[in-house]
Amino acid sequence: MVKIVRLYSGVTIDLLQPITLSSTSAHYLQNVMRRKKGDKVIVFDGKSGEYEAEIKYMSRGTVTLEPKKKLAEVSRPTDIWVAFTPIKKIGTHFVIEKCTEIGVRKIFPIFTEHSENKNLRIDKWKLNSIEAVEQCGGNFIPEIRENTSLGEFVDNFPEDRKLIFCNEVVKEPNLREIFTKDNFSKACILIGPEGGFSDKEREMLSSRKNVYSVSLGARILRAETAVTVALAVWHSHFST
Ligand code: SAH
């Protein structure tokens, strides 16, 4: 059976309203997946849901689709956010990809004492996220926020949400342990940079009311591994 292609549309989809694909998606459909006029694809916009569409027009670099049938509403993951410190390009791409695949509502890039406030290519990250969602079968794209400092992030953190501070210097409590004791269904996972958090940052975080310092086990994980592990454990407890 031919695998059905799933594509993201940057414009909101309406039934029977033609959609002109971006040149990247048009190229992918024509030259990589070798689809033809009349073939069916799945298209989603991350807002209104997911549709079956027919390829109505195809010429070099231009493809128009017609959404024929709504297949599903947008499937938002349960209410988890991730805040992390982007440092290396590959690690960052990994974080964005895994957050999208496993399921996260919002992603906050933050800068800390052991990182720089670099000019981030958030537009590129959105493309990573779109690619990940196209291939994993989801239809929700996490919101990626602008870069903020750790201090600013914590100052503006909502009171009704718990901040899970993944703290590499503590041995306990373990993440699983806190999840069996309290309800963390509305939470944000905070992961530090490669150089870890500074003592001052640890103190600041520990003095806040809705911040919970946790260990992810005896080993020091790379930031991108730590994000994946923490998210998987969170989902196994609180995903609905
Ligand atoms: N340079 C630091 C390690 C930083 S690891 C050191 O050698 O100590 C990057 C981030 O991943 C950490 O700031 C933390 O948020 C998370 N992390 C990695 N391993 C962890 C663990 N065992 N427990 C809790 N958080 C961890």
Side-chain angles (χ1 to χ4, degrees):
M1 211 180 80
V2 183
K3 188 174 177 273
I4 192 136
V5 177
R6 307 182 75 256
L7 289 174
Y8 171 75
S9 157
V11 291
T12 307
I13 303 170
D14 268 326
L15 270 182
L16 305 177
Q17 291 302 309
I19 302 166
T20 304
L21 292 182
S22 67
S23 55
T24 317
S25 296
H27 165 78
Y28 174 70
L29 204 54
Q30 272 179 305
N31 306 323
V32 181
M33 300 310 287
R34 306 251 166 223
R35 293 303 188 266
K36 303 265 174 301
K37 189 174 163 206
D39 284 350
K40 299 266 187 316
V41 297
I42 289 176
V43 66
F44 59 94
D45 57 10
K47 297 180 202 103
S48 75
E50 186 165 324
Y51 301 78
E52 183 180 276
E54 189 182 308
I55 302 175
K56 275 283 172 196
Y57 173 82
M58 197 173 232
S59 76
R60 269 174 69 108
T62 309
V63 174
T64 308
L65 303 178
E66 186 177 275
K68 295 272 198 198
K69 187 163 78 176
K70 186 157 182 170
L71 299 176
E73 295 298 332
V74 68
S75 160
R76 293 190 343 134
T78 19
D79 200 358
I80 187 76
W81 298 354
V82 162
F84 81 109
T85 309
I87 298 198
K88 289 190 191 139
K89 197 167 138 198
I90 294 175
T92 300
H93 287 187
F94 187 92
V95 168
I96 301 293
E97 191 179 280
K98 299 311 155 206
C99 284
T100 309
E101 286 177 38
I102 305 172
V104 158
R105 288 220 185 147
K106 294 182 187 178
I107 301 174
F108 295 79
I110 50 166
F111 56 95
T112 61
E113 276 186 41
H114 296 159
S115 71
E116 293 162 56
N117 180 18
K118 286 190 286 200
N119 236 344
L120 301 176
R121 296 301 311 272
I122 292 178
D123 51 335
K124 283 253 163 71
W125 301 2
K126 287 191 177 150
L127 296 179
N128 294 144
S129 185
I130 288 169
E131 250 174 53
V133 81
E134 281 174 344
Q135 73 80 35
C136 79
N139 61 23
F140 176 81
I141 319 258
E143 182 186 339
I144 306 178
R145 290 292 183 90
E146 288 301 318
N147 205 15
T148 50
S149 69
L150 178 65
E152 223 178 309
F153 175 72
V154 172
D155 285 346
N156 293 310
F157 195 75
E159 275 179 20
D160 63 345
R161 185 174 291 271
K162 295 186 170 97
L163 185 60
I164 303 167
F165 162 33
C166 296
N167 187 352
E168 68 274 18
V169 304
V170 299
K171 294 276 168 278
E172 54 187 18
N174 190 282
L175 189 59
R176 277 193 326 264
E177 236 174 282
I178 65 162
F179 287 172
T180 55
K181 294 197 175 129
D182 205 344
N183 186 356
F184 282 79
S185 58
K186 196 169 176 185
C188 174
I189 293 165
L190 171 66
I191 303 284
E194 215 172 79
F197 291 104
S198 70
D199 289 344
K200 213 166 115 203
E201 286 168 339
R202 264 181 244 288
E203 260 167 48
M204 182 276 283
L205 285 164
S206 304
S207 70
R208 303 288 174 128
K209 208 169 81 237
N210 50 348
V211 175
Y212 297 77
S213 158
V214 294
S215 163
L216 298 177
R219 297 184 181 175
I220 302 291
L221 307 173
R222 280 181 191 270
E224 55 268 35
T225 316
V227 171
T228 314
V229 167
L231 262 182
V233 176
W234 184 89
H235 272 284
S236 72
H237 276 81
F238 300 109
S239 222
T240 47

mmCIF file of all heavy atoms in Angstrom, residues 114 165-170 190-197 202 214-227, ligand 1:
data_model
loop_
_atom_site.group_PDB
_atom_site.id
_atom_site.type_symbol
_atom_site.label_atom_id
_atom_site.label_comp_id
_atom_site.label_asym_id
_atom_site.label_seq_id
_atom_site.Cartn_x
_atom_site.Cartn_y
_atom_site.Cartn_z
ATOM 1 N N HIS A 114 25.213 30.170 32.341
ATOM 2 C CA HIS A 114 26.139 29.348 31.560
ATOM 3 C C HIS A 114 25.716 29.178 30.098
ATOM 4 O O HIS A 114 25.953 28.156 29.483
ATOM 5 C CB HIS A 114 26.323 27.976 32.218
ATOM 6 C CG HIS A 114 26.955 28.082 33.569
ATOM 7 N ND1 HIS A 114 26.845 27.104 34.519
ATOM 8 C CD2 HIS A 114 27.685 29.078 34.139
ATOM 9 C CE1 HIS A 114 27.486 27.478 35.608
ATOM 10 N NE2 HIS A 114 27.999 28.676 35.405
ATOM 11 N N PHE A 165 11.951 21.575 38.174
ATOM 12 C CA PHE A 165 13.329 22.025 37.994
ATOM 13 C C PHE A 165 14.233 20.789 37.982
ATOM 14 O O PHE A 165 14.505 20.200 39.035
ATOM 15 C CB PHE A 165 13.631 23.004 39.140
ATOM 16 C CG PHE A 165 15.068 23.279 39.429
ATOM 17 C CD1 PHE A 165 16.048 23.297 38.438
ATOM 18 C CD2 PHE A 165 15.459 23.584 40.747
ATOM 19 C CE1 PHE A 165 17.378 23.560 38.732
ATOM 20 C CE2 PHE A 165 16.778 23.857 41.054
ATOM 21 C CZ PHE A 165 17.742 23.839 40.051
ATOM 22 N N CYS A 166 14.684 20.365 36.805
ATOM 23 C CA CYS A 166 15.564 19.193 36.699
ATOM 24 C C CYS A 166 16.949 19.632 37.141
ATOM 25 O O CYS A 166 17.631 20.382 36.446
ATOM 26 C CB CYS A 166 15.544 18.631 35.286
ATOM 27 S SG CYS A 166 13.913 18.024 34.845
ATOM 28 N N ASN A 167 17.307 19.165 38.338
ATOM 29 C CA ASN A 167 18.459 19.692 39.052
ATOM 30 C C ASN A 167 19.517 18.594 39.161
ATOM 31 O O ASN A 167 19.382 17.654 39.952
ATOM 32 C CB ASN A 167 17.964 20.142 40.438
ATOM 33 C CG ASN A 167 19.026 20.856 41.226
ATOM 34 O OD1 ASN A 167 20.193 20.897 40.819
ATOM 35 N ND2 ASN A 167 18.639 21.411 42.367
ATOM 36 N N GLU A 168 20.561 18.722 38.369
ATOM 37 C CA GLU A 168 21.547 17.639 38.268
ATOM 38 C C GLU A 168 22.357 17.439 39.538
ATOM 39 O O GLU A 168 23.028 16.421 39.668
ATOM 40 C CB GLU A 168 22.468 17.867 37.063
ATOM 41 C CG GLU A 168 23.415 19.048 37.143
ATOM 42 C CD GLU A 168 22.804 20.377 36.683
ATOM 43 O OE1 GLU A 168 21.572 20.478 36.608
ATOM 44 O OE2 GLU A 168 23.581 21.311 36.428
ATOM 45 N N VAL A 169 22.299 18.378 40.495
ATOM 46 C CA VAL A 169 23.127 18.181 41.701
ATOM 47 C C VAL A 169 22.376 17.482 42.839
ATOM 48 O O VAL A 169 22.978 17.157 43.851
ATOM 49 C CB VAL A 169 23.763 19.505 42.223
ATOM 50 C CG1 VAL A 169 24.578 20.193 41.142
ATOM 51 C CG2 VAL A 169 22.735 20.441 42.805
ATOM 52 N N VAL A 170 21.070 17.266 42.701
ATOM 53 C CA VAL A 170 20.380 16.579 43.798
ATOM 54 C C VAL A 170 20.199 15.093 43.485
ATOM 55 O O VAL A 170 20.135 14.704 42.328
ATOM 56 C CB VAL A 170 18.998 17.230 44.133
ATOM 57 C CG1 VAL A 170 19.168 18.665 44.575
ATOM 58 C CG2 VAL A 170 18.012 17.125 42.972
ATOM 59 N N LEU A 190 11.808 22.152 33.350
ATOM 60 C CA LEU A 190 12.919 23.100 33.144
ATOM 61 C C LEU A 190 14.239 22.336 33.100
ATOM 62 O O LEU A 190 14.597 21.625 34.048
ATOM 63 C CB LEU A 190 12.944 24.120 34.299
ATOM 64 C CG LEU A 190 14.156 25.051 34.356
ATOM 65 C CD1 LEU A 190 14.179 26.009 33.155
ATOM 66 C CD2 LEU A 190 14.161 25.860 35.662
ATOM 67 N N ILE A 191 14.962 22.508 32.004
ATOM 68 C CA ILE A 191 16.243 21.810 31.802
ATOM 69 C C ILE A 191 17.332 22.855 31.601
ATOM 70 O O ILE A 191 17.151 23.808 30.826
ATOM 71 C CB ILE A 191 16.163 20.904 30.549
ATOM 72 C CG1 ILE A 191 15.005 19.898 30.650
ATOM 73 C CG2 ILE A 191 17.496 20.212 30.266
ATOM 74 C CD1 ILE A 191 15.212 18.722 31.558
ATOM 75 N N GLY A 192 18.454 22.641 32.239
ATOM 76 C CA GLY A 192 19.547 23.617 32.162
ATOM 77 C C GLY A 192 20.474 23.384 30.978
ATOM 78 O O GLY A 192 20.305 22.432 30.218
ATOM 79 N N PRO A 193 21.468 24.243 30.845
ATOM 80 C CA PRO A 193 22.414 24.123 29.735
ATOM 81 C C PRO A 193 23.478 23.054 30.011
ATOM 82 O O PRO A 193 23.547 22.511 31.116
ATOM 83 C CB PRO A 193 23.057 25.499 29.687
ATOM 84 C CG PRO A 193 23.009 25.966 31.100
ATOM 85 C CD PRO A 193 21.758 25.391 31.705
ATOM 86 N N GLU A 194 24.298 22.835 29.012
ATOM 87 C CA GLU A 194 25.390 21.865 29.133
ATOM 88 C C GLU A 194 26.254 22.123 30.365
ATOM 89 O O GLU A 194 26.687 21.198 31.043
ATOM 90 C CB GLU A 194 26.252 22.021 27.887
ATOM 91 C CG GLU A 194 26.849 20.778 27.381
ATOM 92 C CD GLU A 194 27.501 21.080 26.036
ATOM 93 O OE1 GLU A 194 28.613 21.640 26.024
ATOM 94 O OE2 GLU A 194 26.875 20.768 25.021
ATOM 95 N N GLY A 195 26.482 23.374 30.680
ATOM 96 C CA GLY A 195 27.307 23.727 31.839
ATOM 97 C C GLY A 195 26.527 23.684 33.146
ATOM 98 O O GLY A 195 27.061 24.007 34.209
ATOM 99 N N GLY A 196 25.277 23.302 33.107
ATOM 100 C CA GLY A 196 24.436 23.230 34.304
ATOM 101 C C GLY A 196 23.967 24.605 34.769
ATOM 102 O O GLY A 196 24.325 25.635 34.197
ATOM 103 N N PHE A 197 23.162 24.615 35.835
ATOM 104 C CA PHE A 197 22.727 25.884 36.433
ATOM 105 C C PHE A 197 23.823 26.379 37.375
ATOM 106 O O PHE A 197 24.584 25.582 37.930
ATOM 107 C CB PHE A 197 21.439 25.668 37.237
ATOM 108 C CG PHE A 197 20.237 25.362 36.381
ATOM 109 C CD1 PHE A 197 19.737 24.069 36.275
ATOM 110 C CD2 PHE A 197 19.592 26.380 35.677
ATOM 111 C CE1 PHE A 197 18.626 23.785 35.487
ATOM 112 C CE2 PHE A 197 18.481 26.112 34.883
ATOM 113 C CZ PHE A 197 18.001 24.804 34.793
ATOM 114 N N ARG A 202 20.337 28.153 41.145
ATOM 115 C CA ARG A 202 19.735 27.090 41.953
ATOM 116 C C ARG A 202 19.056 27.669 43.181
ATOM 117 O O ARG A 202 17.948 27.290 43.525
ATOM 118 C CB ARG A 202 20.838 26.144 42.429
ATOM 119 C CG ARG A 202 21.027 24.948 41.583
ATOM 120 C CD ARG A 202 22.129 24.093 42.183
ATOM 121 N NE ARG A 202 23.223 24.053 41.256
ATOM 122 C CZ ARG A 202 23.168 23.375 40.119
ATOM 123 N NH1 ARG A 202 22.093 22.691 39.805
ATOM 124 N NH2 ARG A 202 24.179 23.388 39.298
ATOM 125 N N VAL A 214 14.063 18.326 41.180
ATOM 126 C CA VAL A 214 14.033 16.860 41.083
ATOM 127 C C VAL A 214 15.302 16.302 40.447
ATOM 128 O O VAL A 214 15.997 16.991 39.703
ATOM 129 C CB VAL A 214 12.848 16.341 40.225
ATOM 130 C CG1 VAL A 214 11.514 16.630 40.859
ATOM 131 C CG2 VAL A 214 12.928 16.844 38.797
ATOM 132 N N SER A 215 15.529 15.021 40.736
ATOM 133 C CA SER A 215 16.624 14.289 40.100
ATOM 134 C C SER A 215 16.038 13.392 39.009
ATOM 135 O O SER A 215 14.932 12.873 39.147
ATOM 136 C CB SER A 215 17.305 13.414 41.150
ATOM 137 O OG SER A 215 18.081 12.425 40.506
ATOM 138 N N LEU A 216 16.830 13.214 37.956
ATOM 139 C CA LEU A 216 16.410 12.288 36.892
ATOM 140 C C LEU A 216 17.213 10.990 36.979
ATOM 141 O O LEU A 216 17.292 10.238 36.014
ATOM 142 C CB LEU A 216 16.604 12.921 35.507
ATOM 143 C CG LEU A 216 15.812 14.188 35.191
ATOM 144 C CD1 LEU A 216 16.168 14.727 33.815
ATOM 145 C CD2 LEU A 216 14.314 13.912 35.254
ATOM 146 N N GLY A 217 17.842 10.762 38.127
ATOM 147 C CA GLY A 217 18.604 9.520 38.309
ATOM 148 C C GLY A 217 20.075 9.810 38.554
ATOM 149 O O GLY A 217 20.506 10.967 38.543
ATOM 150 N N ALA A 218 20.840 8.736 38.748
ATOM 151 C CA ALA A 218 22.232 8.875 39.188
ATOM 152 C C ALA A 218 23.149 9.449 38.117
ATOM 153 O O ALA A 218 24.204 9.999 38.418
ATOM 154 C CB ALA A 218 22.742 7.518 39.625
ATOM 155 N N ARG A 219 22.771 9.329 36.862
ATOM 156 C CA ARG A 219 23.676 9.780 35.795
ATOM 157 C C ARG A 219 23.365 11.203 35.372
ATOM 158 O O ARG A 219 22.208 11.622 35.373
ATOM 159 C CB ARG A 219 23.525 8.878 34.579
ATOM 160 C CG ARG A 219 23.936 7.472 34.906
ATOM 161 C CD ARG A 219 23.889 6.614 33.698
ATOM 162 N NE ARG A 219 24.259 5.262 34.064
ATOM 163 C CZ ARG A 219 24.226 4.253 33.235
ATOM 164 N NH1 ARG A 219 23.821 4.442 31.991
ATOM 165 N NH2 ARG A 219 24.581 3.064 33.628
ATOM 166 N N ILE A 220 24.418 11.901 34.969
ATOM 167 C CA ILE A 220 24.240 13.247 34.417
ATOM 168 C C ILE A 220 23.930 13.084 32.928
ATOM 169 O O ILE A 220 24.758 12.573 32.166
ATOM 170 C CB ILE A 220 25.517 14.101 34.587
ATOM 171 C CG1 ILE A 220 25.910 14.207 36.062
ATOM 172 C CG2 ILE A 220 25.339 15.479 33.961
ATOM 173 C CD1 ILE A 220 24.972 15.024 36.912
ATOM 174 N N LEU A 221 22.755 13.507 32.567
ATOM 175 C CA LEU A 221 22.317 13.333 31.176
ATOM 176 C C LEU A 221 22.617 14.592 30.371
ATOM 177 O O LEU A 221 22.656 15.690 30.930
ATOM 178 C CB LEU A 221 20.803 13.070 31.151
ATOM 179 C CG LEU A 221 20.322 11.931 32.050
ATOM 180 C CD1 LEU A 221 18.797 11.885 32.076
ATOM 181 C CD2 LEU A 221 20.883 10.598 31.569
ATOM 182 N N ARG A 222 22.787 14.427 29.091
ATOM 183 C CA ARG A 222 22.862 15.600 28.226
ATOM 184 C C ARG A 222 21.505 16.287 28.283
ATOM 185 O O ARG A 222 20.477 15.612 28.445
ATOM 186 C CB ARG A 222 23.099 15.170 26.779
ATOM 187 C CG ARG A 222 24.528 14.827 26.479
ATOM 188 C CD ARG A 222 24.611 14.448 25.019
ATOM 189 N NE ARG A 222 25.885 13.873 24.699
ATOM 190 C CZ ARG A 222 26.938 14.592 24.302
ATOM 191 N NH1 ARG A 222 26.839 15.884 24.147
ATOM 192 N NH2 ARG A 222 28.079 14.000 24.041
ATOM 193 N N ALA A 223 21.505 17.600 28.060
ATOM 194 C CA ALA A 223 20.256 18.349 28.172
ATOM 195 C C ALA A 223 19.158 17.736 27.298
ATOM 196 O O ALA A 223 18.017 17.566 27.736
ATOM 197 C CB ALA A 223 20.493 19.799 27.781
ATOM 198 N N GLU A 224 19.516 17.355 26.061
ATOM 199 C CA GLU A 224 18.480 16.831 25.159
ATOM 200 C C GLU A 224 17.959 15.470 25.622
ATOM 201 O O GLU A 224 16.776 15.154 25.446
ATOM 202 C CB GLU A 224 18.960 16.791 23.703
ATOM 203 C CG GLU A 224 20.236 16.041 23.415
ATOM 204 C CD GLU A 224 21.485 16.931 23.476
ATOM 205 O OE1 GLU A 224 21.536 17.861 24.301
ATOM 206 O OE2 GLU A 224 22.421 16.663 22.692
ATOM 207 N N THR A 225 18.840 14.677 26.248
ATOM 208 C CA THR A 225 18.376 13.393 26.803
ATOM 209 C C THR A 225 17.468 13.666 27.998
ATOM 210 O O THR A 225 16.422 13.033 28.168
ATOM 211 C CB THR A 225 19.573 12.520 27.252
ATOM 212 O OG1 THR A 225 20.581 12.579 26.261
ATOM 213 C CG2 THR A 225 19.172 11.104 27.540
ATOM 214 N N ALA A 226 17.883 14.633 28.828
ATOM 215 C CA ALA A 226 17.103 14.962 30.024
ATOM 216 C C ALA A 226 15.686 15.409 29.644
ATOM 217 O O ALA A 226 14.703 14.996 30.274
ATOM 218 C CB ALA A 226 17.821 16.053 30.826
ATOM 219 N N VAL A 227 15.550 16.205 28.601
ATOM 220 C CA VAL A 227 14.222 16.658 28.153
ATOM 221 C C VAL A 227 13.370 15.433 27.780
ATOM 222 O O VAL A 227 12.221 15.301 28.208
ATOM 223 C CB VAL A 227 14.312 17.582 26.906
ATOM 224 C CG1 VAL A 227 12.944 17.863 26.319
ATOM 225 C CG2 VAL A 227 15.020 18.879 27.224
HETATM 226 N N1 SAH B 1 27.484 20.326 33.319
HETATM 227 C C1 SAH B 1 26.602 19.748 34.250
HETATM 228 C C2 SAH B 1 25.529 18.907 33.571
HETATM 229 C C3 SAH B 1 24.448 19.670 32.901
HETATM 230 S S1 SAH B 1 23.369 18.563 32.121
HETATM 231 C C4 SAH B 1 27.383 18.846 35.171
HETATM 232 O O1 SAH B 1 28.365 18.269 34.721
HETATM 233 O O2 SAH B 1 26.955 18.689 36.314
HETATM 234 C C5 SAH B 1 22.172 19.648 31.442
HETATM 235 C C6 SAH B 1 20.853 19.711 32.189
HETATM 236 O O3 SAH B 1 20.157 18.473 32.097
HETATM 237 C C7 SAH B 1 20.944 20.000 33.668
HETATM 238 O O4 SAH B 1 21.084 21.366 33.961
HETATM 239 C C8 SAH B 1 19.615 19.449 34.182
HETATM 240 O O5 SAH B 1 18.560 20.361 33.984
HETATM 241 C C9 SAH B 1 19.403 18.243 33.299
HETATM 242 N N2 SAH B 1 19.929 17.008 33.926
HETATM 243 C C10 SAH B 1 20.875 16.189 33.434
HETATM 244 N N3 SAH B 1 21.054 15.122 34.239
HETATM 245 C C11 SAH B 1 20.194 15.263 35.260
HETATM 246 C C12 SAH B 1 19.900 14.480 36.428
HETATM 247 N N4 SAH B 1 20.511 13.344 36.707
HETATM 248 N N5 SAH B 1 18.931 14.943 37.271
HETATM 249 C C13 SAH B 1 18.294 16.104 37.023
HETATM 250 N N6 SAH B 1 18.536 16.885 35.935
HETATM 251 C C14 SAH B 1 19.465 16.468 35.066
#
